[in-house]
Amino acid sequence: MGSKLSSTLVSTAVITVSATFCIYLIRKKKRENRIPTEWKKIGNAKRLYIFPLKSGHYIEIDAAECTEVGFRLLKSANCPLQLRDRSFVVYGENDGQIRSGRAVPSLVRIEISVHDENHIALDAPQMRTLYVRIPEKNENNTKIVSVWSGETIETIDCGDEAARWLSHHIVQKDSGYRLGYHDALVRRNLVRHQERMKFYEYMTDAATGLFSDVSSVLIVNQASYNDYHQKVPTANVTPLNFRPNIVVYGPDIKPYDEDNWKWLKIGENVILKNVKECTRCVFTTVDPETGKRNQDKEPLSTLTKYRLSRSPEDEPIMGIHLEVKKAGIIKTDDPVYIG
Ligand SMILES: *[C@@H]1O[C@H](CO)[C@@H](O)[C@H](O)[C@H]1NC(C)=O
């Protein structure tokens, strides 16, 4: 009887302690998810980029609307179409797999720009400009494409002319590759499909972009790039090898400070949360202008020596992935605060 009573007491105590601990953890997490009220200025948004095509050529911009799924162009008389970051993708006609610059470096030479309110222009060296209508989803033009991890994404196919143009540019053939479009109406199921994401406490599907690898916004700290560059001054690597949306610069920012930035405010409105370090793949070794692979495998070979992630990915880091907590306009030189 006595031992039964004491074992009941022990179990009650264990349950109470674990429940209290759980409540503590939940509260801690809630607190960490709360937008800070105090901010400290660290620098400015020095450069802004948008990449309408996944792995395609960049466009440098002086302002963007930072939406939940990433940057889009501001509407103006010169820009009647609000092209979104990574809203187009190249996929294999036969395998339905999306292609990135890892496998097809010549994608970086493809430029997608605004032609009019419902057409984009496709350009590449030695190719004639092709105007492509932004497709509207209908019963015949959707295609489920797959990402390397097994995740699938619905895309809207841009038609045969765009497919022929892309195939000519990539393999000098009439077919093989097609152009897909994302209308930004559904979010991805990335975390469920990528075991490696579980290492990062704050990485959820709320952080995902359209066809970007991980998140809607990628930031590179200019000081971190400079530190890398000092180690290998002859390597032909620029911040654009890392394909950032925003390059942050401040005279007092130290290399790799971004590892400890939890929250960022840019300008007076946009609020971002750091959800994950950006682990880098072989695509960073592709020259963003020429599409040629770096002979010395820079920047990966040097970064691997001193900036390896402790995550199971075992890849070097440059940049941070962010979730957009509060959308708004970002302009070049806007102040950047941490909280
Ligand atoms: C889809 O394809 C069917 C069969 O070819 C055709 O009758 C229909 O008009 C198409 N729908 C659209 C929206 O193009």
Side-chain angles (χ1 to χ4, degrees), residues 7 56 116 120 124 128 131 157 182 190 218 265 285 289 313:
S7 82
D116 63 25
I120 54 164
R128 75 189 157 87
Y131 302 109
D157 186 81
H182 198 310
L190 181 133
L218 181 86
K265 183 163 85 157
T285 68
E289 305 292 347
E313 291 174 291

Side-chain angles (χ1 to χ4, degrees), residues 210-230:
L210 301 180
F211 292 117
S212 55
D213 273 353
V214 177
S215 70
S216 47
V217 176
L218 181 86
I219 287 184
V220 162
N221 169 7
Q222 177 77 40
S224 305
Y225 164 78
N226 291 351
D227 181 73
Y228 157 77
H229 187 63
Q230 247 175 19

Side-chain angles (χ1 to χ4, degrees), residues 69-120:
V69 289
F71 276 12
R72 69 168 171 174
L73 299 179
L74 295 182
K75 206 167 186 157
S76 70
N78 289 337
C79 181
L81 174 66
Q82 290 189 275
L83 213 47
R84 287 180 187 270
D85 190 51
R86 277 87 169 193
S87 51
F88 290 88
V89 71
V90 171
Y91 68 94
E93 180 170 359
N94 297 323
D95 59 16
Q97 288 268 353
I98 73 170
R99 293 297 193 281
S100 76
R102 291 183 272 267
V104 186
S106 65
L107 294 184
V108 301
R109 308 205 74 180
I110 300 177
E111 291 179 30
I112 288 188
S113 57
V114 175
H115 178 56
D116 63 25
E117 68 237 31
N118 40 36
H119 291 82
I120 54 164

Side-chain angles (χ1 to χ4, degrees), residues 36-57:
T37 47
E38 286 181 23
W39 298 96
K40 180 181 153 221
K41 188 183 168 199
I42 54 162
N44 298 83
K46 260 318 185 213
R47 300 206 180 268
L48 305 176
Y49 299 103
I50 183 170
F51 304 82
L53 173 69
K54 181 183 181 67
S55 296
H57 204 266

Side-chain angles (χ1 to χ4, degrees), residues 298-317:
E298 288 297 343
L300 281 192
S301 47
T302 296
L303 283 177
T304 301
K305 291 182 196 149
Y306 74 100
R307 272 290 277 172
L308 262 194
S309 167
R310 275 172 300 178
S311 79
E313 291 174 291
D314 197 29
E315 285 171 333
I317 309 162

Side-chain angles (χ1 to χ4, degrees), residues 15-292:
I15 290 168
T16 312
V17 168
S18 5
T20 313
F21 187 62
C22 279
I23 291 169
Y24 163 77
L25 284 183
I26 291 167
R27 288 212 176 124
K28 179 165 178 276
K29 185 140 191 187
K30 263 203 182 138
R31 221 173 23 244
E32 284 170 0
N33 260 316
R34 205 176 292 153
I35 294 177
T37 47
E38 286 181 23
W39 298 96
K40 180 181 153 221
K41 188 183 168 199
I42 54 162
N44 298 83
K46 260 318 185 213
R47 300 206 180 268
L48 305 176
Y49 299 103
I50 183 170
F51 304 82
L53 173 69
K54 181 183 181 67
S55 296
H57 204 266
Y58 62 91
I59 305 176
E60 183 163 4
I61 47 181
D62 51 23
E65 181 183 341
C66 182
T67 76
E68 260 184 46
V69 289
F71 276 12
R72 69 168 171 174
L73 299 179
L74 295 182
K75 206 167 186 157
S76 70
N78 289 337
C79 181
L81 174 66
Q82 290 189 275
L83 213 47
R84 287 180 187 270
D85 190 51
R86 277 87 169 193
S87 51
F88 290 88
V89 71
V90 171
Y91 68 94
E93 180 170 359
N94 297 323
D95 59 16
Q97 288 268 353
I98 73 170
R99 293 297 193 281
S100 76
R102 291 183 272 267
V104 186
S106 65
L107 294 184
V108 301
R109 308 205 74 180
I110 300 177
E111 291 179 30
I112 288 188
S113 57
V114 175
H115 178 56
D116 63 25
E117 68 237 31
N118 40 36
H119 291 82
I120 54 164
L122 280 178
D123 280 290
Q126 280 100 52
M127 296 287 297
R128 75 189 157 87
T129 304
L130 183 73
Y131 302 109
V132 180
R133 196 181 176 86
I134 302 274
E136 266 169 46
K137 186 172 161 173
N138 66 44
E139 68 266 35
N140 301 328
N141 66 2
T142 60
K143 169 84 186 170
I144 305 292
V145 294
S146 51
V147 186
W148 59 269
S149 58
E151 181 196 353
T152 55
I153 309 178
E154 187 180 88
T155 180
I156 307 170
D157 186 81
C158 295
D160 292 341
E161 258 201 292
R164 203 173 309 121
W165 189 98
L166 280 181
S167 306
H168 275 205
H169 170 70
I170 300 168
V171 283
Q172 295 78 51
K173 291 193 175 129
D174 284 338
S175 63
Y177 295 96
R178 299 192 69 87
L179 185 64
Y181 172 66
H182 198 310
D183 58 11
L185 295 180
V186 280
R187 290 309 272 279
R188 291 172 58 181
N189 282 309
L190 181 133
V191 175
R192 177 164 15 122
H193 281 92
Q194 299 196 13
E195 196 56 36
R196 66 201 183 112
M197 293 300 162
K198 302 204 170 100
F199 182 81
Y200 303 99
E201 190 181 354
Y202 296 108
M203 179 62 213
T204 68
D205 287 341
T208 58
L210 301 180
F211 292 117
S212 55
D213 273 353
V214 177
S215 70
S216 47
V217 176
L218 181 86
I219 287 184
V220 162
N221 169 7
Q222 177 77 40
S224 305
Y225 164 78
N226 291 351
D227 181 73
Y228 157 77
H229 187 63
Q230 247 175 19
K231 296 183 200 302
V232 209
T234 54
N236 187 21
V237 171
T238 73
L240 269 167
N241 283 62
F242 302 101
R243 305 178 68 77
N245 295 108
I246 308 171
V247 178
V248 171
Y249 171 77
D252 300 326
I253 300 178
K254 305 265 179 322
Y256 318 114
D257 273 359
E258 67 274 27
D259 294 355
N260 301 311
W261 297 344
K262 290 196 165 88
W263 292 85
L264 290 184
K265 183 163 85 157
I266 304 188
E268 293 317 309
N269 285 308
V270 175
I271 295 178
L272 308 166
K273 185 175 171 72
N274 182 351
V275 293
K276 185 188 177 298
E277 60 199 6
C278 183
T279 45
R280 311 310 313 225
C281 72
V282 69
F283 186 27
T284 56
T285 68
V286 172
D287 185 296
E289 305 292 347
T290 64
K292 290 203 168 70

